[in-house]
Amino acid sequence: LAADNATFTILSSQADAKALRGTVSINHTQVHFGDAVAVAWQVANTGNVTVYSISASDPDVSPISCPSGNPIPLLGPGESETCTGSYALTQADIDAGQRLNSATASGLDPGGIPVEDSDDEIVDVPQNPVLSVDKVLTNNADEDSSGGISLGDTLTYVITASNVGNVTLHNVVVSDDLTGDSTTCPSVALGGTCVLTVTYGVVQADADAGQIVNTGTANSDETGPAEDLNTEPVPQDPSAEILKSGTFNDEGGDGYADPGETVSYGFAVTNDGNVTLSSVLVSDPKISPISCPSGNPIPSMAPGDSETCSGSYPLTQADVNAGQIDNAATASGTDPGGDPVEDTDDETVD
């Protein structure tokens, strides 16, 4: 068809001689770094000429496998192959909540001219931010050597917030409701912790309650608050003591007892336990009224508190005939739990 001096050129169209479609799949409801992500690419010749030596590549995936090998020896117009591979998720992928994957197919048309196509795929990565908190008593200084928790002891608590989800947590705040102390960790990686250590001095209200109830709390930008309740028993020992004393008053001045002369009584009442007592009533079957500085009953007595109450008794002829008065006084109140606390003391006055 050509004269001896004629020439001709065949130009192949590259524009339609290639196509790449990629897919990425994650088969986990909760993923962690290092999990394998399956990737698939459909390499298709959508042009009108055969494409040769087609390589499928991805900067994040190696190796990439195709049914006829990679590179694919050739694909005729309309032919396609699905190539597959996988890559391991990084913590950065999970923290971002998605992974961008980009792949390329490149080959040669019959004229040796490069044919290439690229495809991007964005896959959502399931995030599961979870913060747990654990509060424990690690030490009791036990200043009074009682062997248990008691008033004035110094307790050391450690509150540990742990990242047990699958994303990095930010601005993790750990706080203690008993002391009001807190600390902030700017970021806590998966499996990491943020720790707060606090000390607390046991007060009378703790002994009265019979326990110390303390909550440790942790929160972060990615999660809601998490709490852990710690309860430590404080042994209670409710006790009251009354000491009664009496003195004969010789109002007649003759050195002998006469009816109508009096005996003055003192009642020393002490809270010798470790909890607050309330409504402490001082009573004596022979003496009324009995007066106490803060009233009778005494409204409240903290451990170690004492009051001296007083009363007077007029002698009868029977008392003079007996030569003595022998009677008992009682102090009775209630502990913080509402249980009765009582003590009695006898006194004989000649």
Side-chain angles (χ1 to χ4, degrees):
L1 296 177
D4 292 341
N5 61 350
T7 62
F8 66 93
T9 301
I10 299 175
L11 298 177
S12 63
S13 171
Q14 301 177 41
D16 295 324
K18 38 64 180 180
L20 176 67
R21 298 291 180 267
T23 61
V24 183
S25 62
I26 298 177
N27 298 319
H28 307 282
T29 56
Q30 179 173 341
V31 295
H32 297 87
F33 66 89
D35 284 352
V37 177
V39 186
W41 303 266
Q42 184 185 49
V43 182
N45 183 345
T46 61
N48 62 356
V49 296
T50 300
V51 181
Y52 299 89
S53 189
I54 306 164
S55 296
S57 63
D58 186 308
D60 298 320
V61 183
S62 181
I64 296 174
S65 300
C66 305
S68 59
N70 190 6
I72 302 168
L74 62 88
L75 285 176
E79 293 182 338
S80 66
E81 286 195 12
T82 298
C83 304
T84 59
S86 68
Y87 67 84
L89 281 175
T90 67
Q91 189 60 50
D93 298 330
I94 302 172
D95 289 345
Q98 62 180 19
R99 174 67 184 243
L100 172 63
N101 184 252
S102 180
T104 301
S106 59
L108 299 172
D109 71 5
I113 299 173
V115 178
E116 185 176 284
D117 187 34
S118 296
D119 186 45
D120 293 333
E121 179 79 5
I122 296 177
V123 61
D124 291 331
V125 179
Q127 292 181 318
N128 185 34
V130 181
L131 187 63
S132 70
V133 62
D134 183 41
K135 178 169 187 175
V136 295
L137 175 67
T138 60
N139 185 58
N140 174 15
D142 196 15
E143 279 84 354
D144 61 357
S145 301
S146 66
I149 297 175
S150 55
L151 178 66
D153 284 353
T154 301
L155 310 181
T156 300
Y157 289 94
V158 174
I159 307 167
T160 303
S162 301
N163 183 348
V164 295
N166 71 343
V167 296
T168 301
L169 301 179
H170 299 89
N171 295 319
V172 177
V173 179
V174 184
S175 58
D176 176 70
D177 73 332
L178 199 59
T179 65
D181 295 334
S182 65
T183 189
T184 300
C185 297
S187 66
V188 177
L190 176 63
T193 60
C194 185
V195 179
L196 172 65
T197 300
V198 300
T199 58
Y200 174 73
V202 180
V203 298
Q204 186 59 52
D206 301 321
D208 290 346
Q211 60 182 6
I212 300 173
V213 180
N214 192 5
T215 301
T217 303
N219 207 344
S220 74
D221 289 349
E222 291 79 12
T223 67
E227 296 183 344
D228 185 44
L229 185 69
N230 179 279
T231 301
E232 300 293 339
V234 181
Q236 293 182 315
D237 181 27
S239 179
E241 180 187 55
I242 183 170
L243 297 176
K244 179 179 177 181
S245 62
T247 302
F248 165 65
N249 301 310
D250 185 13
E251 283 92 351
D254 58 3
Y256 300 99
D258 297 304
E261 293 181 323
T262 62
V263 176
S264 296
Y265 285 96
F267 308 88
V269 183
T270 302
N271 180 348
D272 61 347
N274 72 341
V275 296
T276 301
L277 301 179
S278 59
S279 298
V280 181
L281 177 66
V282 181
S283 60
D284 188 306
K286 286 184 176 291
I287 304 167
S288 181
I290 296 176
S291 300
C292 304
S294 59
N296 190 12
I298 301 168
S300 178
M301 299 188 75
D305 283 355
S306 64
E307 287 197 16
T308 298
C309 305
S310 60
S312 180
Y313 172 72
L315 294 174
T316 66
Q317 186 61 55
D319 299 323
V320 176
N321 293 342
Q324 64 180 24
I325 303 171
D326 189 7
N327 64 320
T330 300
S332 58
T334 57
D335 68 11
D339 295 322
V341 179
E342 186 175 283
D343 188 40
T344 300
D345 188 39
D346 294 326
E347 178 70 9
T348 298
V349 177
D350 292 332

